[in-house]
């Protein structure tokens, strides 16, 4: 098996073909693109990777093995978006949709794009104690930010650039939540006050990623599918399964269909059919982009249209004093003239015939005789 691969860490690969949509920069993301020798090797490698993922190849990461598609890009073939103003309610509805998708035997790797909640450390200040030691909430917050994040204290000139110097506590103390209470603040009299005396620590779960669509928090529940089926088939099955959830949604919340169905709906042509007997083509346009009935195009075979003679040409031919002894080639030329809606007279055709016969209206062929070196013709 001949394999070539390329790895990308922190972002997706650059766009190397038109329908590929690179992933945005993300420190938690990595992508490996593998090129196999043929289609058989590709499918074999994809199957082996999926088996290893099921066996726990990297339980701390979401590993997905898929092949590049050349149609409209969609990160996952099946997707449903849950939208609403309240984050807790959004998560609860998304969990129901996720359960319905997992119950479908044709889905794989069901997930949502918000990820799991992460614990965060919050330091809650005691306002009564702050007043006793002579500090305001703003002053205490500035000192805590100086210890944890850092604050610029001066600038250093380096060649043609100016760099800020940030002062903060050492990494061993700053990055360890257990040592937060041991940090000290300074009051207006220069006395060191431990943080444990002016507040307490709270651990709260928070959403690591919040995504919005149409200014509403939106969770997208997505999955891969059984490759023996098409995404619209699986999406229709899940759509039917989540109808009770949609019917019970409170006001201000909704579930939208995404994935391949949504991308296919952006195309102008919804479907088309060809009748091979008469080469007729029926085109159904997307009703959202071009409303109306289906358009039907037929190819009809017919004889070449006969050229209608101009009235002025007929007069010219009937008057022997004008047409004279016109040759067949001259008559063919006069009949081929077109006038874009104008109607020439018989006199016009007479003048065209005379122009055609007048040698002064045509350049003679340049036939220079070639002579040899002795002066005679070569």
């Amino acid at each position: 098996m001949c394999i070539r691969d390329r790895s990308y860490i922190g972002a997706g690969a650059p766009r190397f073909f038109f329908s590929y949509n690179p992933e945005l920069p993300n420190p938690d993301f990595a992508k490996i693109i593998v090129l196999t020798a043929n289609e058989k090797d590709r499918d074999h490698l994809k199957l082996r990777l999926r088996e290893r993922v099921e066996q726990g190849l990297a339980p701390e990461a979401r590993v997905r093995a898929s092949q590049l598609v050349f149609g409209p890009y969609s990160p996952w073939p099946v997707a449903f978006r849950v939208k609403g103003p309240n984050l807790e309610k959004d998560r609860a509805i998304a969990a129901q949709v996720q359960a319905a998708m997992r119950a479908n035997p044709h889905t794989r790797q069901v997930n949502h794009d918000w990820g799991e909640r992460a614990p965060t450390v919050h330091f809650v200040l005691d306002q009564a104690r702050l007043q006793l030691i002579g500090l305001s909430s703003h002053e205490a917050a500035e000192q805590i930010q100086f210890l944890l994040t850092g604050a610029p204290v001066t600038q250093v000139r380096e060649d043609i650039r100016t760099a800020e110097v940030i002062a903060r506590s050492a990494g061993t103390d700053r990055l360890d939540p257990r040592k937060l209470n041991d940090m000290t603040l300074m009051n207006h009299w220069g006395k060191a006050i431990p943080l444990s005396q002016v507040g307490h620590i709270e651990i709260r779960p928070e959403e690591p990623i919040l995504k919005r669509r149409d200014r509403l928090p939106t969770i997208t529940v997505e999955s891969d599918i059984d490759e023996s089926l098409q995404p619209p088939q699986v999406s229709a099955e899940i759509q039917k399964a989540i109808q009770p959830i949609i019917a019970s949604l409170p006001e201000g919340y909704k579930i939208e269909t995404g994935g391949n169905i949504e991308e296919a709906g952006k195309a102008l042509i919804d479907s088309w059919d060809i009748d091979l007997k008469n080469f007729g083509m029926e085109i159904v346009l997307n009703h959202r982009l071009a409303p109306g009935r289906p358009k039907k195009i037929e190819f009809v075979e017919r004889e070449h249209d006969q050229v209608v003679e101009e009235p002025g040409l007929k007069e010219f031919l009937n008057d022997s004093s004008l047409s004279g002894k016109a040759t067949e080639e001259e008559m063919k030329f006069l009949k081929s003239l077109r006038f874009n809606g104008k109607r020439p007279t018989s006199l016009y055709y007479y003048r065209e015939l005379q122009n055609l016969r007048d040698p002064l209206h045509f350049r003679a062929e340049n036939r220079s005789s070639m002579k040899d070196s002795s002066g005679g013709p070569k």
Side-chain angles (χ1 to χ4, degrees):
M1 182 187 296
C2 179
I3 291 180
R4 287 183 290 172
D5 63 272
R6 184 67 60 87
S7 302
Y8 301 90
I9 299 175
R15 175 172 287 170
F16 57 94
F17 68 94
F18 182 73
S19 62
Y20 175 71
N21 192 14
E23 290 80 3
L24 296 176
N26 182 355
D28 299 330
F29 179 82
K31 188 166 194 170
I32 303 174
I33 295 181
V34 181
L35 178 63
T36 58
N38 51 52
E39 183 179 352
K40 182 180 179 182
D41 290 348
R42 179 200 65 194
D43 294 340
H44 179 64
L45 177 62
K46 187 168 57 175
L47 180 62
R48 286 182 58 196
L49 284 172
R50 287 174 179 172
E51 289 176 351
R52 291 293 306 277
V53 171
E54 290 293 331
Q55 295 169 4
L57 173 64
E60 66 279 359
R62 182 187 300 151
V63 182
R64 181 189 182 200
S66 62
Q67 68 187 64
L68 298 173
V69 294
F70 293 93
Y73 176 78
S74 178
W76 297 81
V78 174
F80 291 89
R81 292 190 296 267
V82 179
K83 302 170 68 173
N86 185 272
L87 302 183
E88 297 291 337
K89 192 68 177 174
D90 289 341
R91 269 200 174 268
I93 297 171
Q96 296 179 50
V97 175
Q98 201 166 352
M101 291 177 69
R102 283 202 175 102
N104 190 295
H106 303 136
T107 59
R108 294 185 295 103
Q109 289 189 293
V110 180
N111 65 91
H112 59 78
D113 62 347
W114 276 20
E116 300 300 326
R117 289 180 174 178
T120 57
V121 176
H122 290 259
F123 189 80
V124 182
L125 294 171
D126 188 332
Q127 298 299 326
R129 293 201 173 193
L130 281 178
Q131 291 178 3
L132 289 175
I133 64 175
L135 285 177
S136 66
S137 299
H138 180 69
E139 291 170 336
E142 283 187 332
Q143 291 193 45
I144 295 173
Q145 182 181 6
F146 176 81
L147 293 171
L148 299 177
T149 307
V153 292
T154 186
Q155 292 181 334
V156 175
R157 186 78 175 176
E158 182 179 354
D159 200 10
I160 61 172
R161 296 177 178 83
T162 301
E164 289 188 335
V165 177
I166 305 296
R168 60 190 180 192
S169 60
T172 54
D173 298 328
R174 177 172 53 89
L175 302 176
D176 190 351
R178 295 172 298 180
K179 296 183 179 180
L180 184 60
N181 280 328
D182 297 335
M183 294 182 178
T184 56
L185 304 180
M186 301 296 292
N187 62 9
H188 294 295
W189 304 285
K191 185 177 180 181
I193 309 295
L195 274 180
S196 57
Q197 293 188 14
V198 295
H200 64 278
I201 294 174
E202 290 184 357
I203 307 296
R204 303 175 189 169
E206 288 189 356
E207 306 289 350
I209 299 174
L210 284 177
K211 293 188 177 182
R212 295 180 183 271
R213 193 181 181 95
D214 300 331
R215 302 179 66 180
L216 285 174
T218 304
I219 302 178
T220 303
V221 185
E222 49 207 7
S223 76
D224 269 328
I225 63 170
D226 183 352
E227 294 183 355
S228 63
L229 301 174
Q230 292 296 320
Q233 295 175 268
V234 182
S235 295
E237 293 175 1
I238 298 172
Q239 181 80 22
K240 185 177 180 180
I242 63 175
Q243 280 303 315
I245 304 174
I246 297 175
S248 62
L249 288 176
E251 185 179 356
Y253 294 83
K254 57 183 176 180
I255 298 176
E256 297 177 348
T257 304
N260 283 34
I261 283 187
E262 184 180 43
E263 294 300 323
K266 296 176 182 177
L268 178 61
I269 297 177
D270 195 12
S271 64
W272 54 277
D273 185 37
I274 296 178
D275 187 356
L276 296 178
K277 293 181 180 179
N278 57 9
F279 292 98
M281 178 184 293
E282 187 177 55
I283 299 175
V284 180
L285 301 179
N286 190 321
H287 68 279
R288 288 180 292 182
L289 303 180
R293 293 183 299 176
K295 312 297 180 185
K296 192 168 186 178
I297 302 172
E298 290 186 353
F299 299 91
V300 180
E301 185 178 355
R302 62 182 182 182
E303 297 294 334
H304 183 67
D305 293 340
Q306 294 183 352
V307 178
V308 179
E309 289 186 353
E310 293 285 344
L313 179 60
K314 290 181 179 180
E315 294 176 10
F316 169 76
L317 295 175
N318 293 332
D319 191 342
S320 59
S321 63
L322 295 178
S323 59
K325 297 181 180 180
T327 65
E328 185 178 349
E329 186 177 356
E330 290 171 340
M331 292 301 300
K332 186 177 180 181
F333 169 76
L334 294 175
K335 290 180 179 180
S336 67
L337 297 176
R338 297 290 180 268
F339 305 97
N340 226 1
K342 296 181 180 180
R343 292 291 177 263
T345 63
S346 58
L347 185 60
Y348 171 85
Y349 287 100
Y350 173 75
R351 289 178 176 172
E352 283 293 334
L353 181 60
Q354 299 308 312
N355 289 334
L356 188 61
R357 291 174 174 178
D358 193 341
L360 295 177
H361 292 169
F362 300 92
R363 291 189 177 91
E365 253 185 86
N366 186 15
R367 295 180 179 175
S368 57
S369 59
M370 301 180 65
K371 299 182 178 181
D372 58 13
S373 57
S374 64
K378 187 176 179 180

